[in-house]
């Protein structure tokens, strides 16, 4: 029987990592700490490729992330802490444990039920003193963290009964922002803006919208339109700062019409 090509490729990657760690000065000097920022950058590059629906880019960036996984496993092996095999086996054990509806006799027929079981099993297995929210990574970007916090709180029933009810909270937070603007208390204003953002992110969650994707969609739309404004002004021999606000608004509206 021929060996699975996936296993052959994985063995090749592990051997390449061994060689690089032994013979390449840069690879040899890396540590968990020194590699961390590169891993974050590679993750964002994968996200960019996903947003662009660039399958070739996704393939490349997944490969780069896999390299980092193998790199960390190699360093763990060198320190006697863990190796690639123990890491993968631990992952498989965790996946089987957290999918009792597949590998056991628990019933879960919807994604929501699966997530609820997943969070319950995570808490039971790890016995976290920090509770339901303890597993949210501290280093997550604030928007992603807020979304995950809302998900985890909802998984134990702490959520609005009807998703429409979230808008009362959004309106309440807007009123509190207005109050702090009037009071001119910058510290409290920052806090109230945070509360408003948090409420809006929960609204996104309740309506099945990824807030990060939604905001990035708007970022890209703004960039396209603003660039179009600059190009239109340049075609007339002008810079944007040479124009009045009304003139810029006209260019903005024209950019919108062109889309």
């Amino acid at each position: 029987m021929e060996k699975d090509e996936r296993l052959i490729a994985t063995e090749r990657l592990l051997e390449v990592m061994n060689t690089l760690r032994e013979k390449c000065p840069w690879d040899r000097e890396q540590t968990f700490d020194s590699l961390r920022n590169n891993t974050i950058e590679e993750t964002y590059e994968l996200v960019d490729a996903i947003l662009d629906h660039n399958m070739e880019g996704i393939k490349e960036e997944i490969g780069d992330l896999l390299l980092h996984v193998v790199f960390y496993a190699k360093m763990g092996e060198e320190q006697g802490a863990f190796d690639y095999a123990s890491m993968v086996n631990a992952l498989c054990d965790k996946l089987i444990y957290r999918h009792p509806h597949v590998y056991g006799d628990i019933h879960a027929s919807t994604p929501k039920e699966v997530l609820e079981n997943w969070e319950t099993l995570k808490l039971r297995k790890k016995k976290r003193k920090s509770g339901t929210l303890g597993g949210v990574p501290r280093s997550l970007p604030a928007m992603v963290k807020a979304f995950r916090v809302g998900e985890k709180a909802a998984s134990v029933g702490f959520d609005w009964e009807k998703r429409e009810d979230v808008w009362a909270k959004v309106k309440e937070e807007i009123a509190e922002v207005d109050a702090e603007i009037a009071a001119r208390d910058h510290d409290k204003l920052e806090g109230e803006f945070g509360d408003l953002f948090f409420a809006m992110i929960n609204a996104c969650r309740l309506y099945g919208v990824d807030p990060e994707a939604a905001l990035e969609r708007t970022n890209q739309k703004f960039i396209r339109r603003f660039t179009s404004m600059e190009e239109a002004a340049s075609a007339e021999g002008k810079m944007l700062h040479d124009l009045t606000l009304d003139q810029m608004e006209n260019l903005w509206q024209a950019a919108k019409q062109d889309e």
Side-chain angles (χ1 to χ4, degrees), residues 142-148 151 197-219:
M143 182 178 291
V144 179
K145 184 186 292 186
F147 191 84
R148 291 293 292 129
E151 278 187 326
F197 292 151
F198 192 80
M200 284 300 304
I201 289 167
N202 272 293
C204 287
R205 174 180 58 80
L206 290 164
Y207 282 85
V209 172
D210 179 347
E212 186 75 21
L215 183 56
E216 180 57 19
R217 184 174 179 174
T218 295
N219 287 340

Side-chain angles (χ1 to χ4, degrees), residues 37-246:
N37 286 337
N38 288 347
T39 306
I40 293 170
E41 182 178 341
E42 295 294 353
T43 303
Y44 279 110
E45 288 179 359
L46 171 59
V47 171
D48 283 348
I50 292 172
L51 288 172
D52 292 338
H53 301 285
N54 178 356
M55 296 308 294
E56 193 60 33
I58 292 172
K59 171 186 168 184
E60 179 180 351
E61 299 305 337
I62 288 175
D64 290 344
L65 272 181
L66 179 57
L67 169 62
H68 281 243
V69 170
V70 171
F71 211 142
Y72 288 122
K74 177 62 179 175
M75 291 188 289
E77 178 185 331
E78 292 167 352
Q79 296 180 24
F82 62 91
D83 60 16
Y84 182 84
S86 65
M87 175 196 69
V88 173
N89 283 324
L91 172 61
C92 291
D93 291 342
K94 180 168 64 175
L95 289 172
I96 292 170
Y97 174 77
R98 292 186 186 174
H99 289 80
H101 54 289
V102 175
Y103 294 97
D105 55 5
I106 300 297
H107 178 74
S109 58
T110 67
K112 184 174 185 294
E113 289 175 343
V114 171
L115 286 176
E116 288 172 350
N117 285 337
W118 180 279
E119 293 298 337
T120 299
L121 290 168
K122 281 175 68 175
L123 284 172
R124 186 184 303 163
K125 185 74 173 179
K126 295 190 175 183
K127 298 179 181 178
R128 287 197 191 95
K129 295 181 180 180
S130 51
T132 302
L133 304 182
V136 179
R138 297 190 308 274
S139 299
L140 277 179
M143 182 178 291
V144 179
K145 184 186 292 186
F147 191 84
R148 291 293 292 129
V149 164
E151 278 187 326
K152 285 181 173 289
S155 73
V156 296
F158 189 70
D159 206 359
W160 286 269
E161 289 187 8
K162 297 182 297 182
R163 66 181 184 178
E164 295 82 3
D165 295 342
V166 72
W167 298 114
K169 184 63 176 176
V170 171
K171 292 175 183 177
E172 174 189 327
E173 298 301 347
I174 291 174
E176 292 179 0
V177 167
D178 285 340
E180 295 307 333
I181 289 174
R184 299 185 178 183
D185 187 324
H186 185 270
D187 183 63
K188 289 184 178 179
L189 178 60
E190 180 182 272
E192 295 303 340
F193 266 119
D195 291 347
L196 176 57
F197 292 151
F198 192 80
M200 284 300 304
I201 289 167
N202 272 293
C204 287
R205 174 180 58 80
L206 290 164
Y207 282 85
V209 172
D210 179 347
E212 186 75 21
L215 183 56
E216 180 57 19
R217 184 174 179 174
T218 295
N219 287 340
Q220 293 302 320
K221 180 170 60 178
F222 184 90
I223 290 168
R224 285 195 309 272
R225 292 176 181 176
F226 193 86
T227 301
S228 178
M229 288 170 58
E230 287 186 315
E231 290 172 349
S234 178
E236 297 178 3
K238 298 179 180 178
M239 304 280 286
L240 283 183
H241 58 69
D242 296 325
L243 306 180
T244 66
L245 190 56
D246 285 342

